[in-house]
mmCIF file of all heavy atoms in Angstrom:
data_model
loop_
_atom_site.group_PDB
_atom_site.id
_atom_site.type_symbol
_atom_site.label_atom_id
_atom_site.label_comp_id
_atom_site.label_asym_id
_atom_site.label_seq_id
_atom_site.Cartn_x
_atom_site.Cartn_y
_atom_site.Cartn_z
ATOM 1 N N ASP A 13 43.995 -48.854 -53.035
ATOM 2 C CA ASP A 13 43.511 -50.079 -52.389
ATOM 3 C C ASP A 13 42.433 -49.833 -51.345
ATOM 4 O O ASP A 13 41.991 -50.772 -50.688
ATOM 5 C CB ASP A 13 44.683 -50.804 -51.709
ATOM 6 C CG ASP A 13 45.729 -51.274 -52.719
ATOM 7 O OD1 ASP A 13 45.349 -51.478 -53.885
ATOM 8 O OD2 ASP A 13 46.897 -51.416 -52.341
ATOM 9 N N VAL A 14 42.025 -48.577 -51.171
ATOM 10 C CA VAL A 14 41.091 -48.255 -50.092
ATOM 11 C C VAL A 14 39.781 -49.030 -50.206
ATOM 12 O O VAL A 14 39.284 -49.570 -49.225
ATOM 13 C CB VAL A 14 40.824 -46.730 -50.031
ATOM 14 C CG1 VAL A 14 39.623 -46.418 -49.146
ATOM 15 C CG2 VAL A 14 42.041 -46.010 -49.487
ATOM 16 N N GLY A 15 39.232 -49.118 -51.416
ATOM 17 C CA GLY A 15 37.966 -49.835 -51.603
ATOM 18 C C GLY A 15 38.070 -51.287 -51.166
ATOM 19 O O GLY A 15 37.198 -51.800 -50.463
ATOM 20 N N ALA A 16 39.159 -51.941 -51.552
ATOM 21 C CA ALA A 16 39.369 -53.343 -51.174
ATOM 22 C C ALA A 16 39.565 -53.478 -49.671
ATOM 23 O O ALA A 16 39.077 -54.432 -49.043
ATOM 24 C CB ALA A 16 40.580 -53.908 -51.917
ATOM 25 N N LEU A 17 40.273 -52.515 -49.078
ATOM 26 C CA LEU A 17 40.479 -52.538 -47.621
ATOM 27 C C LEU A 17 39.153 -52.402 -46.878
ATOM 28 O O LEU A 17 38.911 -53.092 -45.886
ATOM 29 C CB LEU A 17 41.427 -51.411 -47.200
ATOM 30 C CG LEU A 17 42.907 -51.621 -47.485
ATOM 31 C CD1 LEU A 17 43.687 -50.348 -47.187
ATOM 32 C CD2 LEU A 17 43.463 -52.776 -46.678
ATOM 33 N N VAL A 18 38.301 -51.505 -47.360
ATOM 34 C CA VAL A 18 36.991 -51.326 -46.723
ATOM 35 C C VAL A 18 36.200 -52.627 -46.788
ATOM 36 O O VAL A 18 35.620 -53.076 -45.798
ATOM 37 C CB VAL A 18 36.199 -50.170 -47.385
ATOM 38 C CG1 VAL A 18 34.750 -50.150 -46.889
ATOM 39 C CG2 VAL A 18 36.863 -48.829 -47.087
ATOM 40 N N GLN A 19 36.202 -53.270 -47.959
ATOM 41 C CA GLN A 19 35.463 -54.529 -48.107
ATOM 42 C C GLN A 19 36.025 -55.611 -47.182
ATOM 43 O O GLN A 19 35.277 -56.359 -46.545
ATOM 44 C CB GLN A 19 35.509 -55.010 -49.561
ATOM 45 C CG GLN A 19 34.555 -56.152 -49.862
ATOM 46 C CD GLN A 19 33.121 -55.856 -49.428
ATOM 47 O OE1 GLN A 19 32.514 -54.880 -49.864
ATOM 48 N NE2 GLN A 19 32.562 -56.672 -48.535
ATOM 49 N N SER A 20 37.350 -55.670 -47.083
ATOM 50 C CA SER A 20 37.973 -56.657 -46.195
ATOM 51 C C SER A 20 37.625 -56.368 -44.743
ATOM 52 O O SER A 20 37.378 -57.286 -43.951
ATOM 53 C CB SER A 20 39.495 -56.643 -46.369
ATOM 54 O OG SER A 20 39.847 -57.061 -47.666
ATOM 55 N N ALA A 21 37.595 -55.090 -44.384
ATOM 56 C CA ALA A 21 37.243 -54.716 -43.011
ATOM 57 C C ALA A 21 35.794 -55.083 -42.710
ATOM 58 O O ALA A 21 35.472 -55.553 -41.612
ATOM 59 C CB ALA A 21 37.474 -53.219 -42.797
ATOM 60 N N VAL A 22 34.912 -54.882 -43.696
ATOM 61 C CA VAL A 22 33.504 -55.275 -43.535
ATOM 62 C C VAL A 22 33.410 -56.777 -43.267
ATOM 63 O O VAL A 22 32.593 -57.235 -42.464
ATOM 64 C CB VAL A 22 32.679 -54.910 -44.799
ATOM 65 C CG1 VAL A 22 31.293 -55.547 -44.755
ATOM 66 C CG2 VAL A 22 32.556 -53.398 -44.928
ATOM 67 N N ASP A 23 34.288 -57.531 -43.919
ATOM 68 C CA ASP A 23 34.301 -58.989 -43.752
ATOM 69 C C ASP A 23 35.019 -59.437 -42.478
ATOM 70 O O ASP A 23 35.219 -60.634 -42.265
ATOM 71 C CB ASP A 23 34.975 -59.642 -44.976
ATOM 72 C CG ASP A 23 34.160 -59.430 -46.251
ATOM 73 O OD1 ASP A 23 32.945 -59.180 -46.137
ATOM 74 O OD2 ASP A 23 34.747 -59.505 -47.348
ATOM 75 N N GLY A 24 35.443 -58.469 -41.666
ATOM 76 C CA GLY A 24 36.039 -58.810 -40.375
ATOM 77 C C GLY A 24 37.544 -58.900 -40.344
ATOM 78 O O GLY A 24 38.121 -59.390 -39.366
ATOM 79 N N ASP A 25 38.215 -58.406 -41.387
ATOM 80 C CA ASP A 25 39.675 -58.455 -41.437
ATOM 81 C C ASP A 25 40.245 -57.325 -40.567
ATOM 82 O O ASP A 25 40.214 -56.155 -40.943
ATOM 83 C CB ASP A 25 40.131 -58.293 -42.890
ATOM 84 C CG ASP A 25 41.643 -58.473 -43.056
ATOM 85 O OD1 ASP A 25 42.369 -58.293 -42.061
ATOM 86 O OD2 ASP A 25 42.073 -58.778 -44.179
ATOM 87 N N ALA A 26 40.771 -57.682 -39.396
ATOM 88 C CA ALA A 26 41.298 -56.694 -38.453
ATOM 89 C C ALA A 26 42.503 -55.944 -39.017
ATOM 90 O O ALA A 26 42.685 -54.750 -38.754
ATOM 91 C CB ALA A 26 41.677 -57.367 -37.135
ATOM 92 N N ALA A 27 43.332 -56.620 -39.804
ATOM 93 C CA ALA A 27 44.510 -55.973 -40.395
ATOM 94 C C ALA A 27 44.089 -54.896 -41.396
ATOM 95 O O ALA A 27 44.721 -53.842 -41.498
ATOM 96 C CB ALA A 27 45.404 -57.004 -41.069
ATOM 97 N N ALA A 28 43.020 -55.168 -42.141
ATOM 98 C CA ALA A 28 42.509 -54.184 -43.106
ATOM 99 C C ALA A 28 41.994 -52.947 -42.371
ATOM 100 O O ALA A 28 42.243 -51.810 -42.778
ATOM 101 C CB ALA A 28 41.411 -54.800 -43.967
ATOM 102 N N TRP A 29 41.254 -53.181 -41.276
ATOM 103 C CA TRP A 29 40.741 -52.060 -40.474
ATOM 104 C C TRP A 29 41.912 -51.233 -39.932
ATOM 105 O O TRP A 29 41.908 -50.010 -40.003
ATOM 106 C CB TRP A 29 39.869 -52.576 -39.333
ATOM 107 C CG TRP A 29 39.473 -51.487 -38.380
ATOM 108 C CD1 TRP A 29 40.006 -51.226 -37.156
ATOM 109 C CD2 TRP A 29 38.485 -50.474 -38.604
ATOM 110 N NE1 TRP A 29 39.404 -50.130 -36.596
ATOM 111 C CE2 TRP A 29 38.473 -49.640 -37.470
ATOM 112 C CE3 TRP A 29 37.611 -50.197 -39.663
ATOM 113 C CZ2 TRP A 29 37.618 -48.551 -37.352
ATOM 114 C CZ3 TRP A 29 36.758 -49.102 -39.538
ATOM 115 C CH2 TRP A 29 36.763 -48.294 -38.393
ATOM 116 N N LYS A 30 42.928 -51.905 -39.421
ATOM 117 C CA LYS A 30 44.099 -51.216 -38.870
ATOM 118 C C LYS A 30 44.795 -50.390 -39.947
ATOM 119 O O LYS A 30 45.218 -49.262 -39.719
ATOM 120 C CB LYS A 30 45.069 -52.231 -38.268
ATOM 121 C CG LYS A 30 46.237 -51.593 -37.546
ATOM 122 C CD LYS A 30 47.133 -52.630 -36.911
ATOM 123 C CE LYS A 30 48.307 -51.947 -36.227
ATOM 124 N NZ LYS A 30 49.343 -52.863 -35.805
ATOM 125 N N ALA A 31 44.900 -50.962 -41.152
ATOM 126 C CA ALA A 31 45.534 -50.243 -42.263
ATOM 127 C C ALA A 31 44.743 -48.997 -42.634
ATOM 128 O O ALA A 31 45.321 -47.941 -42.917
ATOM 129 C CB ALA A 31 45.672 -51.159 -43.475
ATOM 130 N N LEU A 32 43.414 -49.100 -42.622
ATOM 131 C CA LEU A 32 42.570 -47.938 -42.915
ATOM 132 C C LEU A 32 42.779 -46.840 -41.875
ATOM 133 O O LEU A 32 42.950 -45.670 -42.211
ATOM 134 C CB LEU A 32 41.092 -48.343 -42.954
ATOM 135 C CG LEU A 32 40.636 -49.111 -44.191
ATOM 136 C CD1 LEU A 32 39.258 -49.712 -43.961
ATOM 137 C CD2 LEU A 32 40.620 -48.191 -45.417
ATOM 138 N N VAL A 33 42.744 -47.232 -40.599
ATOM 139 C CA VAL A 33 42.892 -46.244 -39.522
ATOM 140 C C VAL A 33 44.268 -45.581 -39.589
ATOM 141 O O VAL A 33 44.389 -44.352 -39.532
ATOM 142 C CB VAL A 33 42.659 -46.889 -38.137
ATOM 143 C CG1 VAL A 33 42.968 -45.898 -37.017
ATOM 144 C CG2 VAL A 33 41.214 -47.381 -38.018
ATOM 145 N N GLU A 34 45.322 -46.403 -39.726
ATOM 146 C CA GLU A 34 46.683 -45.848 -39.756
ATOM 147 C C GLU A 34 46.915 -44.994 -41.002
ATOM 148 O O GLU A 34 47.566 -43.953 -40.950
ATOM 149 C CB GLU A 34 47.718 -46.968 -39.695
ATOM 150 C CG GLU A 34 47.802 -47.616 -38.321
ATOM 151 C CD GLU A 34 48.827 -48.740 -38.268
ATOM 152 O OE1 GLU A 34 49.418 -49.067 -39.325
ATOM 153 O OE2 GLU A 34 49.024 -49.290 -37.180
ATOM 154 N N GLY A 35 46.382 -45.450 -42.133
ATOM 155 C CA GLY A 35 46.637 -44.746 -43.392
ATOM 156 C C GLY A 35 45.816 -43.483 -43.583
ATOM 157 O O GLY A 35 46.274 -42.539 -44.221
ATOM 158 N N LEU A 36 44.584 -43.460 -43.023
ATOM 159 C CA LEU A 36 43.700 -42.308 -43.255
ATOM 160 C C LEU A 36 43.584 -41.372 -42.053
ATOM 161 O O LEU A 36 42.980 -40.307 -42.163
ATOM 162 C CB LEU A 36 42.318 -42.802 -43.696
ATOM 163 C CG LEU A 36 42.312 -43.533 -45.047
ATOM 164 C CD1 LEU A 36 40.925 -44.099 -45.367
ATOM 165 C CD2 LEU A 36 42.762 -42.613 -46.175
ATOM 166 N N SER A 37 44.172 -41.757 -40.925
ATOM 167 C CA SER A 37 44.138 -40.880 -39.745
ATOM 168 C C SER A 37 44.761 -39.503 -40.011
ATOM 169 O O SER A 37 44.218 -38.491 -39.561
ATOM 170 C CB SER A 37 44.824 -41.542 -38.551
ATOM 171 O OG SER A 37 43.936 -42.438 -37.928
ATOM 172 N N PRO A 38 45.918 -39.423 -40.732
ATOM 173 C CA PRO A 38 46.480 -38.087 -40.989
ATOM 174 C C PRO A 38 45.496 -37.168 -41.713
ATOM 175 O O PRO A 38 45.452 -35.966 -41.441
ATOM 176 C CB PRO A 38 47.709 -38.378 -41.855
ATOM 177 C CG PRO A 38 48.105 -39.772 -41.465
ATOM 178 C CD PRO A 38 46.801 -40.497 -41.226
ATOM 179 N N LEU A 39 44.699 -37.729 -42.621
ATOM 180 C CA LEU A 39 43.696 -36.932 -43.325
ATOM 181 C C LEU A 39 42.656 -36.409 -42.344
ATOM 182 O O LEU A 39 42.312 -35.224 -42.341
ATOM 183 C CB LEU A 39 43.025 -37.784 -44.412
ATOM 184 C CG LEU A 39 41.787 -37.154 -45.069
ATOM 185 C CD1 LEU A 39 42.173 -35.918 -45.866
ATOM 186 C CD2 LEU A 39 41.102 -38.178 -45.970
ATOM 187 N N VAL A 40 42.150 -37.304 -41.481
ATOM 188 C CA VAL A 40 41.140 -36.895 -40.491
ATOM 189 C C VAL A 40 41.708 -35.805 -39.581
ATOM 190 O O VAL A 40 41.074 -34.774 -39.341
ATOM 191 C CB VAL A 40 40.656 -38.106 -39.659
ATOM 192 C CG1 VAL A 40 39.696 -37.659 -38.561
ATOM 193 C CG2 VAL A 40 39.987 -39.145 -40.556
ATOM 194 N N TRP A 41 42.942 -36.021 -39.102
ATOM 195 C CA TRP A 41 43.556 -35.034 -38.208
ATOM 196 C C TRP A 41 43.750 -33.698 -38.907
ATOM 197 O O TRP A 41 43.599 -32.635 -38.286
ATOM 198 C CB TRP A 41 44.899 -35.545 -37.689
ATOM 199 C CG TRP A 41 44.771 -36.402 -36.461
ATOM 200 C CD1 TRP A 41 45.153 -37.689 -36.321
ATOM 201 C CD2 TRP A 41 44.213 -36.018 -35.197
ATOM 202 N NE1 TRP A 41 44.859 -38.150 -35.057
ATOM 203 C CE2 TRP A 41 44.279 -37.135 -34.343
ATOM 204 C CE3 TRP A 41 43.646 -34.839 -34.712
ATOM 205 C CZ2 TRP A 41 43.816 -37.116 -33.037
ATOM 206 C CZ3 TRP A 41 43.184 -34.815 -33.404
ATOM 207 C CH2 TRP A 41 43.267 -35.933 -32.584
#
Side-chain angles (χ1 to χ4, degrees):
D13 296 335
V14 167
L17 284 172
V18 170
Q19 191 52 58
S20 295
V22 169
D23 294 338
D25 186 337
W29 172 258
K30 186 177 179 191
L32 285 167
V33 174
E34 288 180 356
L36 295 175
S37 279
L39 170 66
V40 175
W41 274 120

